[in-house]
């Protein structure tokens, strides 16, 4: 068990690699992987079976890496960052399990979604179990402040997903509204993951805030690049189907931009396919053509670059060193995935 | 908002009333109800709307009452028991929302289940939101020990529900296996709710353990009486349909006892209706007849009485007084609901 797919992007843009970060956290991440396997155990066999399916399906574990690297950059030398990183990954896994039920997805990370194999019921409940285990691990760190930050993230993530339910299938969603969704459903956990690294190391508020900002902006950049990839050919390489968002009728930034920049006919197309959900053969190709016509992929990546820049600048207050360089490079890597 | 259905049972058995407990916690419960409304708020309108549907649907709020009464019996005079009681109720509400999705229930407390009105998606996510809010409130109490107890309960409850998924539709489930499910899915939150009352009051381990035992055994008794009621005529008075468990093919104690005591023909009947799920008109009536033939209702209530006795004895170490008397009476009430 415990297969983790190594990152391999970044070749296109010099210096944009996640390898340094991965190498720096290798020893810590081995402990996190052990803790993941241990804490996903239960005498109820279905739980490790279902949790293991997702845990071993090649997630990148970027969120726990953020916790580990942030804690290390802050000079932390104790054992609690392992627990927090594991808790962060469990929160993420629980969210994925619940998301698949909510989105009625059939695929997750290129494999059948757990809900398809074991049913929605087990996916909901195993998600709840992992969340309970996550909070137990946080308690074991004795850090009430970390608990506060991560409990808040849990509430904000769920809130963001509910918000997405309401705005989804509304093609006239503004970029601002969409960013609120991204801020909640993706950036909240990235920011909490990074922030608790400073908290566990007992660093001052300014460093907590810097890492919170780093994580949040990196999370936004990460999600926007994901949105762009979903309409681009490169997506197939990442183990996700191209056009998943289109088929699931998600309004993402490439759509928001294309809709706003499109003419009346084009808007009717988006309304039919995404609001009314009437999709025919060839619609995805047409959507991609419209997105290309309006440079919506390039501009989505431009927006991502903007947030990536903020993330990088947020790190400025930390002394130069290997950890800071690796976290900064992670931002470049995140953007360069798009190319 | 904030309708709470008053308890009205207990007339059949002298002294078996929950009124004393309800009266004693009135002032505290008003604060809990305020906190419930406040913490179920969100700028995402669907959240208070959906949460309010369930919160205002006449739950008995027995779990938060346990926290309040346990804390008071332990002499607690601070504000944190209100937060813990509210968190307990949110955990319970989140569980109900997820349960309805898992069980595909159409009714909850005599009203349409939230999932029928707003969909499974919103029910899963609002449950997650309430769970996040619950943990935030626990953090506000500053009590890591309460957090540990309630986080553990969250994991155990989910684990119990997954276990129920595996044993459900197996008519040869033993009484012991079934009790494991009950211990997790119902008794875990009852016990945690009572135990944190002693924790917040900073009482010694013996008193924590006593309240944990009280809550756990009361929870088992409560669930078994519920199981009995589901096959008895009195059920309709409680706002739940008679035979819900039968239609949802749940193996509860009356079924476990009837199956074991039945002949080959009767076992085929239980297998057809509950394992294979082939139910016809008249099957519920026939199930009730078999249950009556084997005295399975009476014996389920006898078993409940056994656990109720343990709960009452667990309270013995506390000095006599109004709170202890009220908690003890709550046990009698819980059993007398069956009559």
């Amino acid at each position: 068990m415990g297969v983790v797919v190594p990152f391999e992007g970044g070749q296109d843009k010099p210096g944009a690699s996640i390898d340094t970060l991965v190498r720096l956290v290798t020893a810590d991440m081995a402990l996190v992987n052990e803790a993941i396997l241990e804490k996903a155990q239960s005498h109820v066999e279905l739980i490790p079976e279902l949790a293991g399916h997702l845990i071993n399906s090649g997630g990148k574990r970027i969120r726990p890496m953020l916790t580990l690297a942030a804690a290390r950059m802050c000079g932390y030398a104790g054992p609690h960052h392992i627990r927090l990183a594991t808790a962060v990954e469990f929160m993420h896994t629980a969210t994925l399990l619940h998301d698949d039920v909510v989105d009625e997805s059939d695929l997750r990370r290129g494999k059948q979604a757990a809900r398809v194999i074991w049913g929605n019921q087990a996916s909901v409940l195993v998600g709840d179990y992992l969340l309970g285990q996550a909070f137990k691990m946080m308690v074991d760190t004795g850090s009430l402040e970390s608990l506060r930050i991560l409990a808040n993230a849990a509430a904000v993530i769920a809130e963001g997903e509910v918000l997405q339910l309401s705005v989804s299938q509304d093609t006239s969603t503004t970029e601002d509204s969409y960013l609120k969704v991204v801020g909640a459903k993706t950036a909240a956990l990235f920011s909490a993951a990074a922030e608790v690294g400073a908290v566990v190391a007992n660093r001052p508020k300014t460093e907590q805030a810097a890492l919170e900002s780093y994580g949040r902006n990196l999370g936004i950049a990460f999600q926007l690049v994901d949105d762009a990839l979903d309409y681009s050919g490169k997506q197939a390489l990442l183990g996700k189907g191209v056009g998943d968002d289109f088929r699931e009728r998600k309004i993402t930034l490439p759509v928001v931009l294309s809709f706003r920049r499109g003419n009346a006919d084009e808007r009717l197309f988006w309304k039919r396919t995404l609001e009314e959900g009437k999709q025919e053969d060839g619609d995805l190709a047409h959507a991609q053509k419209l997105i290309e016509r309006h440079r919506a992929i390039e501009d989505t990546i431009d927006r991502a670059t903007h947030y990536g820049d903020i993330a990088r600048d947020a790190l400025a207050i930390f002394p130069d060193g290997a950890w800071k360089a690796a976290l900064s490079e992670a931002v470049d890597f995140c953007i360069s995935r798009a190319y």
Side-chain angles (χ1 to χ4, degrees), chain A residues 194-233:
Chain A
E195 186 178 4
V196 295
V199 171
V200 77
N202 246 319
R203 301 300 304 163
K205 284 279 175 200
T206 46
E207 296 187 15
Q208 272 188 49
L211 279 163
E212 193 276 336
S213 171
Y214 167 79
R216 186 157 37 80
N217 285 286
L218 176 64
I220 298 171
F222 184 88
Q223 183 62 54
L224 295 183
V225 169
D226 249 23
D227 292 352
L229 282 168
D230 200 78
Y231 282 98
S232 89

mmCIF file of all heavy atoms in Angstrom, chain A residues 194-233:
data_model
loop_
_atom_site.group_PDB
_atom_site.id
_atom_site.type_symbol
_atom_site.label_atom_id
_atom_site.label_comp_id
_atom_site.label_asym_id
_atom_site.label_seq_id
_atom_site.Cartn_x
_atom_site.Cartn_y
_atom_site.Cartn_z
ATOM 1 N N ALA A 194 -0.978 25.243 5.443
ATOM 2 C CA ALA A 194 0.274 25.990 5.574
ATOM 3 C C ALA A 194 0.335 26.711 6.922
ATOM 4 O O ALA A 194 1.362 26.703 7.608
ATOM 5 C CB ALA A 194 0.407 26.981 4.418
ATOM 6 N N GLU A 195 -0.790 27.310 7.319
ATOM 7 C CA GLU A 195 -0.800 28.119 8.547
ATOM 8 C C GLU A 195 -0.464 27.280 9.783
ATOM 9 O O GLU A 195 0.290 27.728 10.658
ATOM 10 C CB GLU A 195 -2.166 28.796 8.717
ATOM 11 C CG GLU A 195 -2.189 29.772 9.891
ATOM 12 C CD GLU A 195 -3.525 30.482 10.051
ATOM 13 O OE1 GLU A 195 -4.470 30.171 9.306
ATOM 14 O OE2 GLU A 195 -3.605 31.350 10.953
ATOM 15 N N VAL A 196 -1.031 26.082 9.879
ATOM 16 C CA VAL A 196 -0.783 25.291 11.092
ATOM 17 C C VAL A 196 0.694 24.905 11.229
ATOM 18 O O VAL A 196 1.146 24.593 12.330
ATOM 19 C CB VAL A 196 -1.687 24.030 11.197
ATOM 20 C CG1 VAL A 196 -3.150 24.442 11.341
ATOM 21 C CG2 VAL A 196 -1.478 23.079 10.030
ATOM 22 N N GLY A 197 1.437 24.959 10.118
ATOM 23 C CA GLY A 197 2.878 24.729 10.205
ATOM 24 C C GLY A 197 3.552 25.772 11.084
ATOM 25 O O GLY A 197 4.426 25.459 11.906
ATOM 26 N N ALA A 198 3.128 27.036 10.934
ATOM 27 C CA ALA A 198 3.683 28.102 11.781
ATOM 28 C C ALA A 198 3.159 27.990 13.208
ATOM 29 O O ALA A 198 3.878 28.271 14.173
ATOM 30 C CB ALA A 198 3.322 29.472 11.197
ATOM 31 N N VAL A 199 1.895 27.557 13.345
ATOM 32 C CA VAL A 199 1.279 27.462 14.670
ATOM 33 C C VAL A 199 1.982 26.403 15.508
ATOM 34 O O VAL A 199 2.325 26.629 16.670
ATOM 35 C CB VAL A 199 -0.225 27.139 14.548
ATOM 36 C CG1 VAL A 199 -0.827 26.819 15.915
ATOM 37 C CG2 VAL A 199 -0.966 28.309 13.895
ATOM 38 N N VAL A 200 2.204 25.237 14.911
ATOM 39 C CA VAL A 200 2.810 24.144 15.666
ATOM 40 C C VAL A 200 4.246 24.506 16.056
ATOM 41 O O VAL A 200 4.768 24.033 17.072
ATOM 42 C CB VAL A 200 2.736 22.819 14.872
ATOM 43 C CG1 VAL A 200 3.772 22.750 13.772
ATOM 44 C CG2 VAL A 200 2.869 21.613 15.790
ATOM 45 N N ALA A 201 4.872 25.376 15.264
ATOM 46 C CA ALA A 201 6.237 25.808 15.567
ATOM 47 C C ALA A 201 6.255 27.011 16.504
ATOM 48 O O ALA A 201 7.325 27.555 16.802
ATOM 49 C CB ALA A 201 6.968 26.146 14.270
ATOM 50 N N ASN A 202 5.023 27.410 16.948
ATOM 51 C CA ASN A 202 4.942 28.516 17.897
ATOM 52 C C ASN A 202 5.520 29.818 17.375
ATOM 53 O O ASN A 202 6.160 30.575 18.126
ATOM 54 C CB ASN A 202 5.691 28.132 19.171
ATOM 55 C CG ASN A 202 4.721 28.004 20.316
ATOM 56 O OD1 ASN A 202 3.807 28.815 20.432
ATOM 57 N ND2 ASN A 202 4.927 26.994 21.143
ATOM 58 N N ARG A 203 5.331 30.077 16.094
ATOM 59 C CA ARG A 203 5.873 31.296 15.490
ATOM 60 C C ARG A 203 4.883 32.448 15.655
ATOM 61 O O ARG A 203 3.682 32.224 15.853
ATOM 62 C CB ARG A 203 6.169 31.071 13.999
ATOM 63 C CG ARG A 203 7.160 29.957 13.722
ATOM 64 C CD ARG A 203 8.508 30.201 14.365
ATOM 65 N NE ARG A 203 9.082 31.472 13.955
ATOM 66 C CZ ARG A 203 10.068 32.105 14.577
ATOM 67 N NH1 ARG A 203 10.587 31.585 15.683
ATOM 68 N NH2 ARG A 203 10.536 33.248 14.131
ATOM 69 N N PRO A 204 5.379 33.699 15.578
ATOM 70 C CA PRO A 204 4.494 34.859 15.775
ATOM 71 C C PRO A 204 3.411 34.963 14.690
ATOM 72 O O PRO A 204 3.506 34.366 13.631
ATOM 73 C CB PRO A 204 5.449 36.051 15.702
ATOM 74 C CG PRO A 204 6.719 35.546 15.114
ATOM 75 C CD PRO A 204 6.783 34.087 15.407
ATOM 76 N N LYS A 205 2.399 35.759 15.026
ATOM 77 C CA LYS A 205 1.227 35.949 14.163
ATOM 78 C C LYS A 205 1.601 36.338 12.738
ATOM 79 O O LYS A 205 0.942 35.919 11.787
ATOM 80 C CB LYS A 205 0.303 37.033 14.751
ATOM 81 C CG LYS A 205 -0.524 36.558 15.931
ATOM 82 C CD LYS A 205 -1.767 35.777 15.491
ATOM 83 C CE LYS A 205 -2.513 35.217 16.697
ATOM 84 N NZ LYS A 205 -3.404 34.092 16.355
ATOM 85 N N THR A 206 2.642 37.181 12.593
ATOM 86 C CA THR A 206 2.995 37.632 11.243
ATOM 87 C C THR A 206 3.398 36.452 10.358
ATOM 88 O O THR A 206 3.084 36.434 9.167
ATOM 89 C CB THR A 206 4.187 38.617 11.268
ATOM 90 O OG1 THR A 206 5.199 38.076 12.128
ATOM 91 C CG2 THR A 206 3.775 39.985 11.763
ATOM 92 N N GLU A 207 4.075 35.492 10.944
ATOM 93 C CA GLU A 207 4.482 34.331 10.143
ATOM 94 C C GLU A 207 3.298 33.407 9.866
ATOM 95 O O GLU A 207 3.181 32.840 8.774
ATOM 96 C CB GLU A 207 5.630 33.591 10.846
ATOM 97 C CG GLU A 207 6.871 34.472 10.935
ATOM 98 C CD GLU A 207 8.113 33.755 11.469
ATOM 99 O OE1 GLU A 207 8.130 32.512 11.515
ATOM 100 O OE2 GLU A 207 9.066 34.464 11.845
ATOM 101 N N GLN A 208 2.421 33.271 10.866
ATOM 102 C CA GLN A 208 1.171 32.526 10.626
ATOM 103 C C GLN A 208 0.413 33.143 9.462
ATOM 104 O O GLN A 208 -0.039 32.445 8.556
ATOM 105 C CB GLN A 208 0.259 32.623 11.844
ATOM 106 C CG GLN A 208 0.464 31.563 12.897
ATOM 107 C CD GLN A 208 -0.637 31.660 13.961
ATOM 108 O OE1 GLN A 208 -1.817 31.733 13.654
ATOM 109 N NE2 GLN A 208 -0.239 31.671 15.208
ATOM 110 N N ALA A 209 0.281 34.474 9.523
ATOM 111 C CA ALA A 209 -0.499 35.176 8.495
ATOM 112 C C ALA A 209 0.172 35.034 7.128
ATOM 113 O O ALA A 209 -0.499 34.892 6.102
ATOM 114 C CB ALA A 209 -0.655 36.650 8.868
ATOM 115 N N ALA A 210 1.504 35.078 7.110
ATOM 116 C CA ALA A 210 2.229 34.948 5.843
ATOM 117 C C ALA A 210 1.975 33.575 5.227
ATOM 118 O O ALA A 210 1.729 33.446 4.020
ATOM 119 C CB ALA A 210 3.728 35.155 6.075
ATOM 120 N N LEU A 211 2.025 32.548 6.061
ATOM 121 C CA LEU A 211 1.805 31.198 5.529
ATOM 122 C C LEU A 211 0.344 30.983 5.152
ATOM 123 O O LEU A 211 0.035 30.283 4.178
ATOM 124 C CB LEU A 211 2.290 30.146 6.535
ATOM 125 C CG LEU A 211 3.811 29.938 6.450
ATOM 126 C CD1 LEU A 211 4.351 29.230 7.682
ATOM 127 C CD2 LEU A 211 4.163 29.153 5.184
ATOM 128 N N GLU A 212 -0.553 31.600 5.896
ATOM 129 C CA GLU A 212 -1.975 31.529 5.543
ATOM 130 C C GLU A 212 -2.163 32.129 4.158
ATOM 131 O O GLU A 212 -2.842 31.549 3.299
ATOM 132 C CB GLU A 212 -2.790 32.281 6.605
ATOM 133 C CG GLU A 212 -4.287 32.057 6.555
ATOM 134 C CD GLU A 212 -4.992 32.962 5.556
ATOM 135 O OE1 GLU A 212 -4.452 34.042 5.221
ATOM 136 O OE2 GLU A 212 -6.071 32.577 5.086
ATOM 137 N N SER A 213 -1.549 33.277 3.940
ATOM 138 C CA SER A 213 -1.686 33.966 2.649
ATOM 139 C C SER A 213 -1.031 33.160 1.527
ATOM 140 O O SER A 213 -1.590 33.017 0.431
ATOM 141 C CB SER A 213 -1.052 35.357 2.755
ATOM 142 O OG SER A 213 -0.994 35.960 1.494
ATOM 143 N N TYR A 214 0.143 32.636 1.815
ATOM 144 C CA TYR A 214 0.827 31.770 0.840
ATOM 145 C C TYR A 214 -0.093 30.619 0.416
ATOM 146 O O TYR A 214 -0.326 30.371 -0.762
ATOM 147 C CB TYR A 214 2.120 31.223 1.446
ATOM 148 C CG TYR A 214 2.736 30.091 0.647
ATOM 149 C CD1 TYR A 214 3.484 30.333 -0.504
ATOM 150 C CD2 TYR A 214 2.540 28.762 1.036
ATOM 151 C CE1 TYR A 214 4.034 29.286 -1.237
ATOM 152 C CE2 TYR A 214 3.086 27.713 0.313
ATOM 153 C CZ TYR A 214 3.828 27.976 -0.826
ATOM 154 O OH TYR A 214 4.354 26.948 -1.553
ATOM 155 N N GLY A 215 -0.631 29.916 1.420
ATOM 156 C CA GLY A 215 -1.459 28.739 1.135
ATOM 157 C C GLY A 215 -2.716 29.114 0.368
ATOM 158 O O GLY A 215 -3.108 28.430 -0.579
ATOM 159 N N ARG A 216 -3.350 30.190 0.795
ATOM 160 C CA ARG A 216 -4.604 30.583 0.156
ATOM 161 C C ARG A 216 -4.386 30.932 -1.307
ATOM 162 O O ARG A 216 -5.104 30.446 -2.188
ATOM 163 C CB ARG A 216 -5.229 31.765 0.905
ATOM 164 C CG ARG A 216 -6.602 32.149 0.400
ATOM 165 C CD ARG A 216 -7.434 32.903 1.442
ATOM 166 N NE ARG A 216 -6.606 33.811 2.238
ATOM 167 C CZ ARG A 216 -6.210 35.016 1.821
ATOM 168 N NH1 ARG A 216 -6.579 35.464 0.639
ATOM 169 N NH2 ARG A 216 -5.464 35.774 2.601
ATOM 170 N N ASN A 217 -3.380 31.741 -1.578
ATOM 171 C CA ASN A 217 -3.154 32.154 -2.967
ATOM 172 C C ASN A 217 -2.635 31.011 -3.830
ATOM 173 O O ASN A 217 -3.005 30.893 -5.001
ATOM 174 C CB ASN A 217 -2.218 33.366 -2.993
ATOM 175 C CG ASN A 217 -2.937 34.626 -2.559
ATOM 176 O OD1 ASN A 217 -3.747 35.171 -3.308
ATOM 177 N ND2 ASN A 217 -2.708 35.070 -1.334
ATOM 178 N N LEU A 218 -1.815 30.172 -3.249
ATOM 179 C CA LEU A 218 -1.389 28.973 -3.979
ATOM 180 C C LEU A 218 -2.601 28.092 -4.301
ATOM 181 O O LEU A 218 -2.722 27.555 -5.412
ATOM 182 C CB LEU A 218 -0.376 28.182 -3.142
ATOM 183 C CG LEU A 218 0.097 26.863 -3.736
ATOM 184 C CD1 LEU A 218 0.865 27.085 -5.036
ATOM 185 C CD2 LEU A 218 0.966 26.081 -2.739
ATOM 186 N N GLY A 219 -3.500 27.968 -3.341
ATOM 187 C CA GLY A 219 -4.705 27.152 -3.547
ATOM 188 C C GLY A 219 -5.560 27.688 -4.683
ATOM 189 O O GLY A 219 -6.073 26.925 -5.513
ATOM 190 N N ILE A 220 -5.718 29.005 -4.729
ATOM 191 C CA ILE A 220 -6.507 29.602 -5.817
ATOM 192 C C ILE A 220 -5.825 29.335 -7.152
ATOM 193 O O ILE A 220 -6.463 28.908 -8.121
ATOM 194 C CB ILE A 220 -6.708 31.117 -5.589
ATOM 195 C CG1 ILE A 220 -7.499 31.374 -4.303
ATOM 196 C CG2 ILE A 220 -7.425 31.751 -6.783
ATOM 197 C CD1 ILE A 220 -7.573 32.837 -3.883
ATOM 198 N N ALA A 221 -4.511 29.580 -7.202
ATOM 199 C CA ALA A 221 -3.761 29.343 -8.440
ATOM 200 C C ALA A 221 -3.898 27.885 -8.883
ATOM 201 O O ALA A 221 -4.148 27.587 -10.061
ATOM 202 C CB ALA A 221 -2.282 29.701 -8.236
ATOM 203 N N PHE A 222 -3.771 26.998 -7.923
ATOM 204 C CA PHE A 222 -3.860 25.561 -8.184
ATOM 205 C C PHE A 222 -5.212 25.197 -8.810
ATOM 206 O O PHE A 222 -5.288 24.472 -9.805
ATOM 207 C CB PHE A 222 -3.670 24.831 -6.853
ATOM 208 C CG PHE A 222 -3.635 23.335 -6.944
ATOM 209 C CD1 PHE A 222 -2.441 22.669 -7.180
ATOM 210 C CD2 PHE A 222 -4.796 22.589 -6.766
ATOM 211 C CE1 PHE A 222 -2.400 21.283 -7.241
ATOM 212 C CE2 PHE A 222 -4.761 21.199 -6.828
ATOM 213 C CZ PHE A 222 -3.562 20.545 -7.069
ATOM 214 N N GLN A 223 -6.288 25.735 -8.221
ATOM 215 C CA GLN A 223 -7.634 25.417 -8.711
ATOM 216 C C GLN A 223 -7.853 25.994 -10.104
ATOM 217 O O GLN A 223 -8.440 25.341 -10.970
ATOM 218 C CB GLN A 223 -8.690 25.948 -7.740
ATOM 219 C CG GLN A 223 -10.121 25.591 -8.145
ATOM 220 C CD GLN A 223 -10.344 24.088 -8.176
ATOM 221 O OE1 GLN A 223 -10.090 23.391 -7.203
ATOM 222 N NE2 GLN A 223 -10.773 23.554 -9.309
ATOM 223 N N LEU A 224 -7.388 27.221 -10.336
ATOM 224 C CA LEU A 224 -7.602 27.842 -11.649
ATOM 225 C C LEU A 224 -6.853 27.065 -12.729
ATOM 226 O O LEU A 224 -7.360 26.870 -13.833
ATOM 227 C CB LEU A 224 -7.170 29.318 -11.626
ATOM 228 C CG LEU A 224 -7.996 30.227 -10.696
ATOM 229 C CD1 LEU A 224 -7.533 31.680 -10.818
ATOM 230 C CD2 LEU A 224 -9.496 30.127 -10.982
ATOM 231 N N VAL A 225 -5.648 26.613 -12.399
ATOM 232 C CA VAL A 225 -4.905 25.793 -13.368
ATOM 233 C C VAL A 225 -5.662 24.486 -13.633
ATOM 234 O O VAL A 225 -5.781 24.042 -14.776
ATOM 235 C CB VAL A 225 -3.467 25.534 -12.872
ATOM 236 C CG1 VAL A 225 -2.777 24.479 -13.731
ATOM 237 C CG2 VAL A 225 -2.660 26.836 -12.892
ATOM 238 N N ASP A 226 -6.209 23.903 -12.573
ATOM 239 C CA ASP A 226 -7.046 22.708 -12.744
ATOM 240 C C ASP A 226 -8.209 22.977 -13.691
ATOM 241 O O ASP A 226 -8.523 22.157 -14.553
ATOM 242 C CB ASP A 226 -7.623 22.287 -11.382
ATOM 243 C CG ASP A 226 -7.043 20.977 -10.883
ATOM 244 O OD1 ASP A 226 -5.931 20.609 -11.323
ATOM 245 O OD2 ASP A 226 -7.695 20.322 -10.060
ATOM 246 N N ASP A 227 -8.849 24.120 -13.492
ATOM 247 C CA ASP A 227 -9.984 24.489 -14.343
ATOM 248 C C ASP A 227 -9.546 24.592 -15.799
ATOM 249 O O ASP A 227 -10.264 24.159 -16.704
ATOM 250 C CB ASP A 227 -10.557 25.854 -13.915
ATOM 251 C CG ASP A 227 -11.218 25.799 -12.552
ATOM 252 O OD1 ASP A 227 -11.381 24.691 -11.996
ATOM 253 O OD2 ASP A 227 -11.574 26.878 -12.042
ATOM 254 N N ALA A 228 -8.382 25.210 -16.009
ATOM 255 C CA ALA A 228 -7.869 25.364 -17.375
ATOM 256 C C ALA A 228 -7.552 23.995 -17.972
ATOM 257 O O ALA A 228 -7.898 23.707 -19.129
ATOM 258 C CB ALA A 228 -6.623 26.255 -17.366
ATOM 259 N N LEU A 229 -6.916 23.156 -17.168
ATOM 260 C CA LEU A 229 -6.527 21.829 -17.659
ATOM 261 C C LEU A 229 -7.731 20.994 -18.074
ATOM 262 O O LEU A 229 -7.645 20.181 -18.996
ATOM 263 C CB LEU A 229 -5.734 21.081 -16.577
ATOM 264 C CG LEU A 229 -4.275 21.504 -16.422
ATOM 265 C CD1 LEU A 229 -3.682 20.921 -15.149
ATOM 266 C CD2 LEU A 229 -3.468 21.060 -17.643
ATOM 267 N N ASP A 230 -8.846 21.207 -17.389
ATOM 268 C CA ASP A 230 -10.012 20.380 -17.689
ATOM 269 C C ASP A 230 -10.503 20.565 -19.128
ATOM 270 O O ASP A 230 -11.206 19.705 -19.661
ATOM 271 C CB ASP A 230 -11.148 20.681 -16.711
ATOM 272 C CG ASP A 230 -12.150 19.531 -16.675
ATOM 273 O OD1 ASP A 230 -11.850 18.520 -16.018
ATOM 274 O OD2 ASP A 230 -13.204 19.617 -17.346
ATOM 275 N N TYR A 231 -10.165 21.680 -19.737
ATOM 276 C CA TYR A 231 -10.568 21.913 -21.127
ATOM 277 C C TYR A 231 -9.405 21.762 -22.105
ATOM 278 O O TYR A 231 -9.553 22.018 -23.293
ATOM 279 C CB TYR A 231 -11.192 23.308 -21.271
ATOM 280 C CG TYR A 231 -12.611 23.355 -20.765
ATOM 281 C CD1 TYR A 231 -12.897 23.817 -19.487
ATOM 282 C CD2 TYR A 231 -13.662 22.914 -21.557
ATOM 283 C CE1 TYR A 231 -14.197 23.847 -19.014
ATOM 284 C CE2 TYR A 231 -14.974 22.945 -21.097
ATOM 285 C CZ TYR A 231 -15.232 23.408 -19.828
ATOM 286 O OH TYR A 231 -16.520 23.426 -19.366
ATOM 287 N N SER A 232 -8.222 21.391 -21.564
ATOM 288 C CA SER A 232 -7.071 21.328 -22.463
ATOM 289 C C SER A 232 -6.625 19.888 -22.656
ATOM 290 O O SER A 232 -6.924 19.009 -21.847
ATOM 291 C CB SER A 232 -5.917 22.161 -21.893
ATOM 292 O OG SER A 232 -5.122 21.375 -21.046
ATOM 293 N N GLY A 233 -5.908 19.664 -23.725
ATOM 294 C CA GLY A 233 -5.498 18.308 -24.072
ATOM 295 C C GLY A 233 -4.597 17.672 -23.038
ATOM 296 O O GLY A 233 -4.559 16.456 -22.899
#
